[in-house]
Amino acid sequence: MLTTTEQARQNMVENQVRTWDVLDARVLDVLRDVRREDFVPARHRNLAFADLALPLGHDEVMLKPVVEGRLLQALALQPGDKVLEIGTGTGFLTACIARLAGSVTSVELHADFAEGARAKLAAAQVRNAKIETADALRDFDSHEQFDAVVVGGAVWSLPERVRGWVKPGGRLLAIVGESPAQQVTLYTRAADSRWSSESLFETDVPYLRNAEPPRRFTL
């Protein structure tokens, strides 16, 4: 007999995520197994499984479960993959990535978010995730390259420095463009370092700091 919480989680997976064309069995299993309610802000715990983007502070949100599911499916993570996540938030997507991949480094601008995510990941016994506190779009400096990079908030245009973190043969997932019609776009780097891109679906989420559209001046 499922508890009320377990039933709500099952309903989220089956009635929201799966019906939005998330059919990857590994992704669905991770969304069933990772306790989303432990990662949402305490004041919104009763909305943990709702089809809503939940406010976090700093003008940022926790993405809807359906968007999280689509992102995880699009990344097509393999057990040995090394992943870079830009924008940690509460750490829920980080925990899901950690279950699907070999390791994940997540870069979070806000120190309070980073601290909270570290605590939540430790409580969930996630041992292959590392949280860095930095502005990924300006001052984060990694000499590593990754099998997959995911940008967890919107960017007006994709910063060139982000491409440099992707291995040849790797992929980059970002939410690009102008609100309210941003495009979730998958960029793939070929072995010869040429790029291809595929627009996957439309959404509308807050911009990362320092990635907003340019101001338009009117007279």
Side-chain angles (χ1 to χ4, degrees), residues 95-176:
C96 293
I97 292 170
R99 290 285 296 271
L100 292 165
S103 65
V104 54
T105 299
S106 188
V107 185
E108 173 54 53
L109 173 64
H110 304 291
D112 55 336
F113 283 4
E115 182 179 353
R118 289 189 192 103
K120 291 178 174 67
L121 290 165
Q125 299 186 335
V126 176
R127 297 186 176 89
N128 59 334
K130 177 175 67 174
I131 310 297
E132 301 277 0
T133 305
D135 183 343
L137 303 184
R138 289 198 171 178
D139 57 25
F140 176 67
D141 186 18
S142 175
H143 301 293
E144 295 182 89
Q145 288 187 316
F146 298 84
D147 299 291
V149 175
V150 56
V151 183
V155 295
W156 163 248
S157 63
L158 187 66
E160 192 60 34
R161 72 194 318 260
V162 177
R163 295 178 186 263
W165 294 324
V166 182
K167 288 180 179 179
R171 56 250 180 239
L172 164 62
L173 191 63
I175 304 167
V176 183

Side-chain angles (χ1 to χ4, degrees), residues 2-65:
L2 295 178
T3 67
T4 301
T5 298
E6 290 167 342
Q7 186 62 61
R9 186 183 354 270
Q10 182 73 4
N11 290 343
M12 176 195 76
V13 172
E14 294 298 326
N15 300 332
Q16 295 178 44
V17 180
R18 185 191 289 274
T19 60
W20 220 44
D21 294 330
V22 179
L23 304 176
D24 186 310
R26 293 179 66 229
V27 170
L28 295 173
D29 286 345
V30 162
L31 293 174
R32 289 189 190 97
D33 292 344
V34 178
R35 291 171 55 89
R36 195 172 197 271
E37 68 274 21
D38 292 343
F39 287 86
V40 303
R43 65 189 181 279
H44 297 310
R45 191 179 174 93
N46 64 322
L47 297 173
F49 309 112
D51 185 26
L52 297 170
L54 302 176
L56 300 179
H58 299 298
D59 296 322
E60 296 189 14
V61 300
M62 185 176 184
L63 299 174
K64 292 181 178 182

